[in-house]
Amino acid sequence: MTASPAPGSPGAPAATATYDDVWVTEAPPPSDDAPPGAPDGPRLVVRTTAVDDLPADASALIDRLPDSAALAWVRHGDGLVGWGEALRFETFGPGRFADADDKWRQVLALAEVQDEVGLPGSGLVAFGSFAFDDVSPGDEEEDPARASGVLVVPRVVLGRRGDRAWLTTVALVGDRSAPVGDELLSAYPVQPVTGPGRVALTDGAVGADDWPAVVAEGIARIQAGELEKVVLARDVVATTEHPVDTRHLLGRLASAYEACWTFSVDGMVGATPELLVRSEKGLVASRVLAGTIRRDHGGTTPDTQGDDADLLRAAQLARSSKDLEEHEFAVRSVAAALEPYCSSMNVPEVPFVLHLPNVMHLATDVTGVLAGQDAGAAARPSSLSLAAALHPSAAVCGTPTTAARDLIREIEGLDRARYAGPVGWVGADGDGEWGIALRSAEISPKNRRTIRLFAGCGIVSASDPAAELAESEAKLEPMRYALRTR
């Protein structure tokens, strides 16, 4: 389902109703058995049961998706996939995170949940995707349906963690026509996966020949002392012969990039190597990536790791003063954002080199213990509110944040939309996982034959425009690979 038109706009569905200024599609009528004076809002009945017939391979969850309207968050074969749409919240502008978090809490207060599994991701969950910036270069009057953030509660969720798997179904109280139980599963028959056919790639908002000049301007501003680092992005537009089937992209990404978090939420699809935040039972973690080198084979296809050339490149990356400087800015920004929420933290002094099929990154895993453990889960910040506090980090924006974001708005020439914004899921206890929408693409809601591929590079004083262009080409490779059929 594409984004719901804003109130009063042409084409707004009759089933759309206001819910404290956040739009909810398919909202049910008031429940007949709601007690007098009960809070108004959608009431959900959620059932989670264990399943034992899920194969233990990287694409098993994705293989169960019935159609291209897929929701996914998968790594090493574990994670969540969902389909159908029980509820949908759309939020706008600077308040997009707080509004979504508030509405999620209100839904939880009215939900009836029976969870036989009790693992992270079981029970009631919502998938989310949020814009990078508080404002968009697009014209909201021309495109009023374009939300800055979305939370989607699927009707069906299939999950796995280690050797345990589960199925969650969601029904709307008062929605008399909605199928439940086995009827709900049979309402979504699995359709054959289709490939995109021929794919043509063209320049996006700023052409490849012109983008180095944008990078050079960023370098000049840094050298003039306006800021220390800025992350600049570019896009490429793919036009496909057939409508893009999200499952085709997800299957290839999940198999080729197992170490990444393969995701799909509301048209944003990709395989991100960067975990913005994981919150689980009072513990938090964030994987910070900044500093990149292309692997020797060029990244045209997934390859084995550990050959002599790759080892030399990894050593080169680990000693690169330019990349170490870029990485230090990113780690410092994440640690500073998490510190107010934690009673203790661990910030490694030296990064490690993360090997991916197409590139290598300097990486640091920042971990912490949330404050207020004695007060219980209800007193802890939700994973969504933690993601809001961390976004945007220096890894996707720059340092200082305000100066970098202002420069991005001034010179980048690109509407990032939800590229480089938080993407992931939140559970009923507030825990969840949120990545940064990198190595990603946006499927057009108006034409599924059009898809925008994104890549960004961290720019510091020692950056070279030609080298940054080459790095952006390497970062575009995962989605180019996903669009191919072999």
Side-chain angles (χ1 to χ4, degrees), residues 129-376:
S129 172
F130 293 85
F132 168 80
D133 205 351
D134 293 347
V135 297
S136 169
D139 188 337
E140 289 188 3
E141 292 184 1
E142 292 183 4
D143 190 11
R146 187 174 188 179
S148 301
V150 62
L151 282 182
V152 178
V153 179
R155 287 188 178 271
V156 184
V157 177
L158 183 64
R160 182 171 68 192
R161 187 178 179 93
D163 60 357
R164 298 184 65 187
W166 62 89
L167 180 73
T168 298
T169 60
V170 179
L172 292 151
V173 174
D175 188 354
R176 309 303 184 192
S177 63
V180 296
D182 292 340
E183 292 180 357
L184 180 58
L185 295 178
S186 63
Y188 299 96
V190 176
Q191 304 296 327
V193 177
T194 58
R198 294 186 300 273
V199 179
L201 296 171
T202 58
D203 281 338
V206 178
D209 292 341
D210 298 324
W211 195 68
V214 177
V215 174
E217 177 64 19
I219 295 171
R221 298 292 189 92
I222 292 169
Q223 292 176 344
E226 295 182 20
L227 69 168
E228 297 173 284
K229 172 187 174 180
V230 65
V231 179
L232 295 173
R234 55 184 284 248
D235 66 340
V236 171
V237 178
T239 304
T240 61
E241 180 182 6
H242 308 300
V244 173
D245 187 330
T246 309
R247 297 170 299 168
H248 173 82
L249 307 180
L250 292 174
R252 288 178 64 80
L253 290 171
S255 297
Y257 295 86
E258 285 192 66
C260 297
W261 288 266
T262 298
F263 64 86
S264 172
V265 181
D266 197 45
M268 282 301 298
V269 58
T272 181
E274 189 152 1
L275 182 70
L276 183 62
V277 66
R278 174 193 296 116
S279 175
E280 184 176 320
K281 301 186 185 305
L283 304 179
V284 291
S286 178
R287 170 162 290 185
V288 184
L289 304 183
T292 304
I293 193 168
R294 190 164 186 164
R295 293 187 67 177
D296 190 54
H297 58 75
T300 54
T301 59
D303 199 358
T304 57
Q305 303 173 4
D307 59 32
D308 291 343
D310 276 350
L311 290 174
L312 288 173
R313 285 179 174 267
Q316 178 184 345
L317 178 62
R319 294 193 303 266
S320 167
S321 58
K322 178 263 182 187
D323 291 292
L324 288 168
E325 179 188 22
E326 180 187 342
H327 189 79
E328 182 182 355
F329 289 136
V331 173
R332 192 189 309 161
S333 73
V334 167
L338 275 181
E339 187 175 17
Y341 299 92
C342 293
S343 58
S344 63
M345 291 181 61
N346 178 44
V347 184
E349 295 183 0
V350 179
F352 65 92
V353 177
L354 176 67
H355 293 246
L356 297 176
N358 57 319
V359 294
M360 289 179 258
H361 295 291
L362 291 178
T364 296
D365 288 335
V366 178
T367 57
V369 178
L370 289 175
Q373 295 299 317
D374 295 340

